[in-house]
Amino acid sequence: MVFLTFSLTYFVTLQTKFRNSMKKRITLTLLTAMIQAVCLAQFTTNGEGNTYSIHTLSSMSETGIISYELVDIPGYQPEYELTQSITIAAGDKFVMDNGIVLHFAKDVTLSIEGEADFNLPSGSTLSGLESNASVLIQSSTRTTFQNCHFQNVGLEMRSEGGVDISHCSFMAHDGSSAAALYFITAGAESSIVDCSFEDCAKAAIGSAANASQPMTIRGCELVKNSTANGNIPQINITVASPLVISGCHIVGNPENTKVGGLGISNFMGYDADVTISGCTIEDNRYGIGLVGPAAKILLENNTLLNNRYETNPMNGGSGISLYDPYKLTQARITGNYIEGSLWGVTVIGCKDVNMGHLDNTDDYNPGNNVFKDNGFDGELYDLYNNSTLTIYAQNNTWNVSEQTEEQIETVIFHQNDDPSLGQVIFMPAATTTSIADIQDATQHTPMYNLQGQRLNRVNGRQGIIIANGKKKVVR
């Protein structure tokens, strides 16, 4: 075997699996490659209507692309390395090569201002060799990504045309941008379908606070992202209209106690219509967190499991948390299963929260939410109404052995516990009991509300007392 070596440290060797089993040939001469790597920082196309690919760019000496041609290896994929940033100018087009591996050197960006096409029949891999590698889309036209596999390479969208991303994967992004898939500005409605995100240092999918980006996220798998353990949920986006998240699976790492599952914020006062349905969210600091006046929100048929890994219950641990001090949010919560949170549902502020309203009106909601084992320190908290709202929460199954008014009262915190809070109308409850063998909540350790104030009130309602802020049925 003959190996060609290079004196510049950023010329990488081939992947380990190839090192002792292949010959490699560099299409650029050693002298040319060294001069380009030292002298050039970026290459930009001329914008004269040409179409480029990695293969065609590699034939242009000024691009600084290294091409590895591997022979005698059945089924090998051609490999290329970007040693400097490249910009496809407006007026030109970039078509991603199918079936290749594209390596990015440190701090290298492939920026596309013209038309872009990443719609691949079988797939290619984009791999960051060190850090801060990215693909930046700045096109005014729509872009499609299919079967693209990003490994420590971010995808940043600054496009008016919107993007459709399907069957792509994002692995181990280093956190050099706010998310592995990051929407920097608003654009046309985008879609992210059947994609996977795993072990990314910050959010898997994110958007800037001032970028109200309409999008659909459907059928995606997100596993143990935000590995840096900052206060960044795995999906961290700004409200938009419409924003639809459905059929996704978001799995956290219990060791990362600052990382939520799905966070939607609205710090700019955007009007929005948000739907989150059919998702399974488990093992995060919290499940779904909504902050700011997010307008209309539908949370339907989601499964929220063990979203409790917050070290201080006063700072989080809810299956669903609604926080809107401006009192503009209208939320409808129906058909969700919430188990193992520190708090099942918490409400702070908001304009209207409907968790089940059986009256035959425009507000009809069948309820059908199920709560199980939500609480801490031996106490159960299915619903904490820390607002002045009257919340309808009828026809739900609560974490009590019998769905009676007396027992359900023990798992709901509202006006009956603190006169300054709003009432929860929870009767009638679901007629079929699916919760049994709950723990007898009889501990009397101090309890605090979500604002950190110690509670010590006694409820005058017959059959229920509040001792040190904790509810207990008087037997």
Side-chain angles (χ1 to χ4, degrees), residues 170-173 196-200 204 221-225 227:
F170 296 78
M171 303 287 293
H173 183 248
S196 61
F197 302 79
E198 187 169 355
D199 292 332
C200 299
E221 185 86 8
L222 299 93
V223 179
K224 297 181 179 180
N225 296 288
T227 59

Side-chain angles (χ1 to χ4, degrees), residues 300-418:
E300 184 175 31
N301 299 330
N302 300 290
T303 299
L304 305 165
L305 302 173
N306 299 319
N307 296 290
R308 61 180 299 111
Y309 295 101
E310 162 62 61
T311 56
N312 181 355
M314 298 305 120
N315 292 334
S318 299
I320 296 171
S321 175
L322 305 175
Y323 175 74
D324 172 19
Y326 305 99
K327 299 181 180 180
L328 297 174
T329 296
Q330 301 176 67
R332 177 184 172 93
I333 302 174
T334 182
N336 301 282
Y337 182 89
I338 305 173
E339 178 181 348
S341 305
L342 301 182
W343 318 87
V345 175
T346 56
V347 177
I348 302 176
C350 300
K351 179 180 180 180
D352 179 60
V353 176
N354 182 344
M355 295 179 58
H357 198 169
L358 300 183
D359 292 346
N360 188 19
T361 68
D362 292 339
D363 293 327
Y364 176 79
N365 176 357
N368 293 326
N369 300 290
V370 176
F371 298 86
K372 186 175 188 298
D373 296 337
N374 300 290
F376 57 95
D377 290 344
E379 294 296 324
L380 300 173
Y381 296 94
D382 286 347
L383 171 57
Y384 198 116
N385 181 14
N386 201 14
S387 75
T388 58
L389 290 177
T390 296
I391 295 178
Y392 278 83
Q394 297 172 327
N395 200 41
N396 296 305
T397 300
W398 307 90
N399 195 162
V400 291
S401 56
E402 296 180 6
Q403 301 296 309
T404 63
E405 183 173 0
E406 182 182 62
Q407 289 203 21
I408 295 171
E409 184 68 42
T410 67
V411 296
I412 295 176
F413 199 96
H414 62 141
Q415 190 177 83
N416 290 359
D417 311 302
D418 181 342

